[in-house]
Amino acid sequence: MKDDLLSIIIPAFNEEENIPVTSKVVLEIMSEAEIPCELIFVSDGSKDKTFAKILEQSQKNPQVRGIEFSRNFGKEAAIRAGLAKAKGDCAVVIDCDLQHPPETIVEMYKQWKNGYEIVEGIKNSRGDETFIHKMFAGIFYKTLSFLTGFDMENTSDFKLLDRKVVDILLDMPERKTFFRAMSFWVGFKTCQVTYDVAERAFGTTKWSFIKLVRYAISNIVSFSTKPLALVNYMGVISLFAGSILAIQTFLRWVLGKASEGFTTVLLLLLILGGGILLGLGLVGTYISAIYEEIKCRPRYLIRLDTDVISENQE
Ligand code: UDP
Ligand code: MG
């Protein structure tokens, strides 16, 4: 059965209560379905006892492994670190709070066995998210689907990847990754499995509104350059409008009806100024993204590793 190992990657940020539950529930479901698996918890610089709990689980059961980051590097970095550590022939990424139903992994694994190289988890419903959250998520995915040309609506990080795809993702040199969209970009034989978002088992969501907005902007910038073209369009439109206005003013002047409009001038200045600042800001956002990439800093730093700890104990 060596060729069938499934790595289950679980990013965890301040999830001390969820570690024992998630680990138990997932392992039970996998053993019932007779799926050989390993659990890889990545504690993303947690401030609570998350890593201690991971270590406890790993000492009880060698199927459980885990690492701890030196600080909070974000979920994307945690997913990548998990993929890098995975030994499986396929890997699935799942949230630590049991919002992604682990039973769905069994279905995903079956599809992988049927020859699919990527199995996307698609949300049926968005669970107990607030109206505002659902609305922003809707706008974000519509924009993203438009900009990237992939239908990304209701997608999530809950997906299973074949070893081939995992290796390709790990080989990609960019620092700023967007896991959800990368699996679309690589292509491969893909199928979808739908699931209902469950309620969070313990604790609260780790995303504040500001963090989500930043995440949205950074993902759009890292995945599409179309917004830059928008600056050009804005320039063309305002130039066109300006020219029309100039012609009209000139004609009125010829007809002896020179327009006196301090307010018009002010308004125009404000609108143009706003447009120029927005354009500059947009260009700046891309330059800062390039700057971050070009520094080539490591994507994350590992402070502790259960494999190393158990080796030292032997
Ligand atoms: N997470 C992480 N690093 C972060 C924020 C979140 O590893 O900086 C993990 C978190 O522990 C969870 C998953 O990402 O396993 C999804 O986070 P959360 O449940 O807070 O997001 P939501 O389900 O509310 O979108
Ligand atoms: Mg959650």
Side-chain angles (χ1 to χ4, degrees):
M1 289 291 271
K2 199 182 162 290
D3 294 347
D4 298 336
L5 183 69
L6 166 68
S7 300
I8 302 174
I9 292 150
I10 315 174
F13 177 49
N14 296 343
E15 305 273 13
E16 57 181 5
E17 297 130 312
N18 283 323
I19 303 287
V21 186
T22 304
S23 158
K24 183 169 169 279
V25 171
V26 174
L27 283 173
E28 266 172 19
I29 292 174
M30 293 306 120
S31 86
E32 214 168 280
E34 293 180 18
I35 298 176
C37 73
E38 60 170 359
L39 258 56
I40 299 177
F41 283 101
V42 182
S43 168
D44 185 7
S46 302
K47 303 258 184 312
D48 62 1
K49 295 200 193 75
T50 300
F51 188 73
K53 297 279 175 194
I54 297 171
L55 190 61
E56 209 179 286
Q57 295 298 320
S58 96
Q59 290 184 332
K60 268 196 252 165
N61 185 344
Q63 269 175 294
V64 180
R65 298 157 68 216
I67 45 180
E68 164 83 294
F69 282 173
S70 63
R71 64 165 168 86
N72 183 245
F73 280 92
K75 190 181 176 190
E76 289 289 329
I79 292 176
R80 196 181 163 102
L83 290 176
K85 201 164 177 58
K87 292 181 181 156
D89 304 288
C90 59
V92 66
V93 176
I94 176 170
D95 280 0
C96 193
D97 52 13
L98 293 176
Q99 283 197 287
H100 297 156
E103 304 82 33
T104 311
I105 301 178
V106 179
E107 208 182 322
M108 290 175 150
Y109 187 80
K110 272 189 202 141
Q111 295 292 10
W112 174 70
K113 282 280 193 181
N114 288 341
Y116 287 100
E117 289 147 327
I118 297 178
V119 187
E120 294 280 349
I122 304 286
K123 288 178 201 154
N124 265 334
S125 65
R126 297 193 70 95
D128 60 350
E129 285 172 0
T130 60
F131 171 75
I132 298 277
H133 191 125
K134 279 182 193 162
M135 194 180 77
F136 273 100
I139 295 172
F140 172 59
Y141 284 110
K142 283 248 159 35
T143 315
L144 202 69
S145 301
F146 167 72
L147 292 175
T148 57
F150 306 121
D151 179 15
M152 300 220 356
E153 230 153 297
N154 290 331
T155 54
S156 62
D157 291 329
F158 187 27
K159 51 186 93 201
L160 186 144
L161 309 175
D162 183 79
R163 168 51 56 188
K164 260 188 289 200
V165 181
V166 172
D167 287 341
I168 288 171
L169 289 186
L170 290 175
D171 267 347
M172 288 191 175
E174 64 224 66
R175 313 276 117 187
K176 201 104 207 140
T177 50
F178 184 29
F179 182 65
R180 213 165 290 190
M182 298 287 237
S183 70
F184 283 88
W185 186 89
V186 293
F188 285 89
K189 202 169 167 221
T190 305
C191 75
Q192 301 187 335
V193 164
T194 55
Y195 69 94
D196 288 308
V197 179
E199 303 252 317
R200 205 171 213 286
F202 287 103
T204 51
T205 176
K206 305 292 177 266
W207 294 92
S208 64
F209 182 69
I210 288 290
K211 212 170 161 185
L212 272 177
V213 171
R214 270 202 220 119
Y215 183 69
I217 292 176
S218 127
N219 285 328
I220 287 176
V221 167
S222 78
F223 228 84
S224 168
T225 47
K226 278 188 194 159
L228 276 179
L230 205 74
V231 179
N232 294 337
Y233 294 135
M234 267 170 17
V236 171
I237 290 170
S238 78
L239 201 70
F240 183 70
S243 317
I244 301 266
L245 211 70
I247 294 170
Q248 190 231 25
T249 316
F250 179 69
L251 286 180
R252 283 171 68 99
W253 177 73
V254 170
L255 294 173
K257 283 191 262 175
S259 48
E260 37 176 308
F262 188 60
T263 353
T264 334
V265 177
L266 252 176
L267 262 176
L268 264 176
L269 252 170
L270 276 178
I271 293 171
L272 271 180
I276 292 170
L277 283 179
L278 200 76
L280 268 177
L282 196 56
V283 175
T285 313
Y286 277 93
I287 293 180
S288 71
I290 297 170
Y291 173 67
E292 289 300 329
E293 288 289 334
I294 222 159
K295 277 195 286 188
C296 278
R297 293 234 175 112
R299 298 172 178 90
Y300 50 82
L301 297 172
I302 296 175
R303 191 168 73 86
L304 294 164
D305 185 327
T306 55
D307 293 350
V308 178
I309 294 172
S310 44
E311 240 170 61
N312 289 344
Q313 281 171 346
E314 273 162 20

